Amino acid sequence: MPLKASYDKAIDSFRLEYLLGGAAAFALLFPHKYSLVEILWSFSIYLEAVAIMPQLFQMSRTGEADNITSHYLFALGGYRALYIVNWIYRYYTEDDYVDYIAWVSGVVQTALYADFFYIYFTRVLKGKSFKLPV
């Protein structure tokens, strides 16, 4: 593994069990319907909403990211932001289109990217490296 030498267990201290437990609790409390398939679908949507948190946490711990990593994260966040545009369009053009679980989770996920987007637009797109302000 070429990146194994750059792994630092002391910096990688994010507790994934909180994300998994939170997503599981939300899936059990707020599924679309109480069936196994719907609970698992809800779990996947809730988990997707917060799945970027370990990467953002890692960047906040190190204070920087490679350009390729910052471009990749921007693409992921942009993809989610475009989903919101899609939901708005579908809400106004389709009869009875309502998906509160996906909507709320998508807005939460996009909000998690807000600080990253700001730094990306003010630094990376101007040719500077991705470094968090001190």
Side-chain angles (χ1 to χ4, degrees):
M1 289 179 38
L3 298 177
K4 186 175 182 179
S6 67
Y7 178 73
D8 186 356
K9 188 171 176 68
I11 295 174
D12 187 12
S13 60
F14 192 87
R15 305 289 304 259
L16 292 176
E17 46 281 356
Y18 293 130
L19 296 183
L20 295 171
F26 268 79
L28 291 171
L29 294 172
F30 307 109
H32 181 65
K33 294 179 185 171
Y34 281 99
S35 70
L36 180 62
V37 172
E38 290 295 328
I39 290 172
L40 291 174
W41 177 83
S42 297
F43 172 74
S44 74
I45 297 298
Y46 293 132
L47 185 59
E48 181 186 10
V50 294
I52 196 62
M53 287 182 69
Q55 182 67 46
L56 296 175
F57 179 78
Q58 183 75 4
M59 287 183 353
S60 72
R61 294 277 302 220
T62 62
E64 60 187 1
D66 296 331
N67 276 342
I68 189 71
T69 302
S70 60
H71 294 320
Y72 174 72
L73 290 175
F74 176 76
L76 284 177
Y79 155 81
R80 177 50 64 187
L82 290 174
Y83 251 86
I84 293 173
V85 174
N86 175 47
W87 295 329
I88 293 168
Y89 172 78
R90 289 181 65 188
Y91 180 79
Y92 287 107
T93 61
E94 295 180 15
D95 294 334
D96 300 325
Y97 176 68
V98 176
D99 192 350
Y100 294 116
I101 292 172
W103 293 351
V104 171
S105 297
V107 168
V108 166
Q109 184 178 18
T110 303
L112 289 173
Y113 280 98
D115 187 46
F116 170 80
F117 282 151
Y118 174 77
I119 295 170
Y120 185 85
F121 283 119
T122 58
R123 298 199 51 85
V124 176
L125 290 183
K126 292 181 179 179
K128 300 175 184 173
S129 63
F130 185 94
K131 289 192 188 255
L132 295 174
V134 179

